[in-house]
Amino acid sequence: MSDKKGSAYGTPATDTSFRRNYDLDEYAQKAKVREASEKEEAKARYEAKMAGKKYYKPMTGDETHTRARREIIDLEANVGKTVLVPAGAGQGKRGRSAGFYCGACDLTFKDNIQWVEHVNSMQHLRNIGETGEVKKATAEDVHDRITEVWERLQEQKKAAVTTLKERLDMREEEATKEREARRLKRQEEMAKKKAEKEAEEKIKVEYGDDVRVEGEHDEDDMMAAMGITGFGTSKKK
């Protein structure tokens, strides 16, 4: 008779040593810190609102100066794509929804104008670790910047030469394909006309010259309907 208190693996049914043990005091301390931070933020938001100012996330000292954007904002990256969003996500801007989503601020914008304004806003800059202030450039910084731009322009020129050659090759290939397509079309039309002509000649050989081929006597029929028997000359012999 098997032991009802045991399990199929030979261990007691009440053995929970495999479960993870949580330090309740540690998580209670984390909860207190989070609650205190939320209270401070709520107080700062209220004070900014009462003063008629906009609240921004306080700086920690690790932020860097704001620099010019090096990459281009691609507003057409998600055109034609299908994105799964949670039910009810279309309410408000908070959270991920259909549109332009900012992971740093956890906000979604429905049009590109709002998205560009948000990317340039102080709220977004603070959340990505920038102060919103531009560093004053020195003579050495200007020289390094000019050197960097010059090197980038030289690389773009080299890439343009390669790209131009590739474009010329592609244009030549397209022109060859177009010429081949026109040649095949002409051959098909010539073969069709030849087949029709051979069919007409075959009919005339079998039935004689009195047979009416479709379209052959249309001009004569029209002249007869108009009462014109022919175009003669008034010149006397």
Side-chain angles (χ1 to χ4, degrees), residues 47-94:
E47 292 176 352
K49 183 178 180 180
M50 295 302 296
K53 299 180 181 179
K54 192 170 184 178
Y55 171 79
Y56 297 114
K57 181 180 178 181
M59 293 187 292
T60 60
D62 299 330
E63 291 81 8
T64 59
H65 287 88
T66 301
R67 298 179 300 175
R69 189 181 296 109
R70 300 297 180 89
E71 67 277 358
I72 299 175
I73 299 177
D74 189 2
L75 300 175
E76 300 179 355
N78 294 327
V79 174
K81 294 183 180 179
T82 302
V83 181
L84 295 177
V85 295
Q91 304 296 328
K93 295 181 179 179
R94 181 65 59 183

Side-chain angles (χ1 to χ4, degrees), residues 119-136:
V119 171
N120 296 326
S121 66
M122 185 63 69
Q123 176 188 7
H124 178 76
L125 295 177
R126 290 286 179 86
N127 287 334
I128 63 176
E130 295 184 3
T131 60
E133 299 177 355
V134 181
K135 180 182 177 181
K136 186 177 181 180

Side-chain angles (χ1 to χ4, degrees), residues 22 34 70 74 79 86 106 135 140 158 160 179 225-226:
Y22 293 92
R34 185 182 70 252
R70 300 297 180 89
D74 189 2
V79 174
D106 193 28
K135 180 182 177 181
E140 185 179 357
K158 293 179 181 178
R179 288 195 297 269
M226 296 174 64

Side-chain angles (χ1 to χ4, degrees), residues 20-32:
R20 181 180 178 181
N21 295 324
Y22 293 92
D23 189 349
L24 300 182
D25 296 334
E26 178 184 357
Y27 282 92
Q29 182 66 25
K30 289 182 178 180
K32 289 181 180 180

